Amino acid sequence: MTSHFLRTALVLGLLSAIGPFAIDMYLPALPSIGQSLSASVGAVQASLMAFFISLGIGQIIYGPISDMVGRKPPLYFGLLLFAVASVGCALAPDIQTLVVLRFIQGLGACAGMVVPRAVVRDLHTGHDAARLMSLLMLVFSVSPILAPLAGSLLIESLGWRSVFWAVTVAGVLGLALLATSLPETRPPAQRVDSSVGSALAAYGVLLRDRHFMGLVFIGAFGISSFFVYLANSSFVLIDHYGLTPREYSIAFAANAASFIGVSQFTGRLSGRFGLVPVVKVAVTGYAAVMAGLLVLNLLGMDQLVVMLPLMFIGYGFLGLVVPTTAVLALDDHGAIAGTASALMGTLQFVTGAVMMALVGLFVDGSARPMVVGIAGCALVAFVMARGTLGGSSRSPSA
């Protein structure tokens, strides 16, 4: 493994982590934001959902633009918009203003979500792409593992507004990293045939590609189960189970560490068994564990000592599902990798926002709505995998 390969993974992972950083640092602050701004649980969760919705919508725009003008200009614009909106969030006087600014912040952050995936496809395919994607996710893990703990420490000492000043700094550092450490991977010669018309045509091709769409939605419902956890876990673990914000951050980081740690086996396992078999086994294990958690909860075992170990195991399986489905989905669409990555991201984040909203309708202060939402998403991902890959004729190395 060359130093250039590792450096590319480091840069892409850090750029990808800026948006999630603005989510993960923010999670321990949700209860205190509600108290500070005299807002209900639903109103505070709306600020999180607004961020997710804009993350999804914005990718539809950034992806084709990155095919037309190159990968770096959209990243510059997105990171600058993210930094400016973060300052606004830090100064927000009420929950309505915060929701609007979080939406704008998400529009900036999504550039860092969609473009790095396209860069991976610019550089590699197949096994090498899976290896780079898993390394990218290892760097990306800095956010879900460390950000909640850092957020809780900031909240305890400086209040929830300090979280947004911290993510402003992250945005500025991202701009510096982009300017100094990432070369353009889509040269002008490859942009000649890219236009608004070709982007619309490409979306038509992708939407008609059942294999692509199936893979996207396997990943979408897998990620959505984690989004349901994001939106509800701080209220469930802090208010229902009585953890402190710092204890919650440690519990959240453990699940993120499982997800990221297991994802590092993606390259090795796909090289030995193929990407398709890895997806099948991983999504089956994920659905089985989360369905087991739901059954235990329905039987009355509403205990943290039951939930956390099963979440840890389940999100480990999910760590294999997400990178493999992304690589498989993009493999056949190198010429429109930015557009394909954008559609994938949009569908995944919009699906996640819808599932968060659905679960939010049934919030009752207990863990059950969250558990039902997580298990439901995992089971849908399993069904999608059976339908999409059950009779796959793709080569084992695919």
Side-chain angles (χ1 to χ4, degrees):
M1 188 178 298
T2 66
S3 60
H4 175 72
F5 194 91
L6 292 173
R7 185 170 62 251
T8 301
L10 176 64
V11 173
L12 294 178
L14 291 175
L15 290 174
S16 298
I18 289 174
F21 191 67
I23 299 171
D24 301 328
M25 280 196 77
Y26 171 73
L27 293 176
L30 293 179
S32 59
I33 289 174
Q35 295 168 8
S36 173
L37 300 181
S38 301
S40 66
V41 170
V44 175
Q45 286 184 327
S47 67
L48 183 60
M49 282 187 284
F51 190 87
F52 276 98
I53 292 170
S54 61
L55 276 178
I57 294 173
Q59 292 187 56
I60 283 285
I61 302 169
Y62 283 110
I65 288 177
S66 76
D67 286 338
M68 287 185 270
V69 304
R71 308 305 185 198
K72 294 186 71 170
L75 282 171
Y76 278 120
F77 175 81
L79 290 171
L80 181 61
L81 181 62
F82 173 83
V84 172
S86 297
V87 172
C89 289
L91 301 174
D94 52 56
I95 192 64
Q96 292 81 12
T97 303
L98 182 62
V99 170
V100 171
L101 287 168
R102 285 286 281 175
F103 183 87
I104 297 172
Q105 189 188 40
L107 288 177
C110 64
M113 302 293 290
V114 63
V115 177
R117 287 197 302 261
V119 172
V120 171
R121 181 55 185 82
D122 288 342
L123 299 174
H124 301 287
T125 60
H127 168 63
D128 286 338
R131 187 173 57 153
L132 181 55
M133 192 76 78
S134 64
L135 282 172
L136 185 154
M137 291 183 66
L138 178 62
V139 180
F140 182 88
S141 69
V142 170
S143 175
I145 292 176
L146 298 181
L149 184 57
S152 67
L153 293 173
L154 280 174
I155 294 160
E156 289 175 6
S157 58
L158 300 173
W160 64 267
R161 295 181 188 274
S162 63
V163 167
F164 291 108
W165 291 116
V167 299
T168 300
V169 173
V172 173
L173 291 176
L175 284 167
L177 188 66
L178 175 62
T180 59
S181 304
L182 184 69
E184 178 59 64
T185 60
R186 189 170 176 86
Q190 296 180 9
R191 308 173 202 163
V192 173
D193 297 327
S194 297
S195 64
V196 173
S198 67
L200 294 175
Y203 280 132
V205 170
L206 293 167
L207 290 168
R208 291 191 297 271
D209 185 339
R210 294 181 62 184
H211 188 75
F212 173 83
M213 294 296 289
L215 288 164
V216 166
F217 277 108
I218 295 168
F221 280 99
I223 291 174
S224 293
S225 68
F226 196 70
F227 288 174
V228 169
Y229 180 70
L230 284 175
N232 294 276
S233 59
S234 61
F235 296 103
V236 171
L237 271 64
I238 294 173
D239 294 339
H240 179 60
Y241 289 121
L243 297 186
T244 66
R246 189 176 302 185
E247 290 169 340
Y248 162 74
S249 299
I250 293 171
F252 184 90
N255 286 329
S258 174
F259 178 93
I260 299 301
V262 176
S263 76
Q264 296 313 295
F265 292 96
T266 301
R268 184 179 303 174
L269 292 173
S270 65
R272 181 172 180 180
F273 301 108
L275 288 169
V276 170
V278 170
V279 173
K280 289 180 178 179
V281 171
V283 78
T284 300
Y286 182 55
V289 171
M290 294 313 189
L293 174 62
L294 174 59
V295 169
L296 292 174
N297 184 272
L298 293 174
L299 291 175
M301 298 181 68
D302 181 16
Q303 299 171 6
L304 200 58
V305 71
V306 173
M307 176 183 289
L308 291 184
L310 289 176
M311 289 277 194
F312 183 85
I313 296 169
Y315 286 130
F317 279 114
L318 186 61
L320 292 175
V321 174
V322 174
T324 47
T325 53
V327 169
L328 281 170
L330 294 177
D331 249 0
D332 294 334
H333 299 288
I336 52 172
T339 303
S341 177
L343 183 60
M344 177 191 304
T346 293
L347 292 175
Q348 290 178 345
F349 276 89
V350 170
T351 301
V354 169
M355 294 309 302
M356 287 162 57
L358 285 175
V359 172
L361 294 175
F362 300 96
V363 168
D364 59 4
S366 74
R368 182 160 298 172
M370 182 182 78
V371 172
V372 171
I374 290 171
C377 289
L379 291 170
V380 172
F382 171 76
V383 172
M384 292 293 301
R386 293 283 294 179
T388 303
L389 302 173
S392 175
S393 61
R394 297 174 71 84
S395 68
S397 63

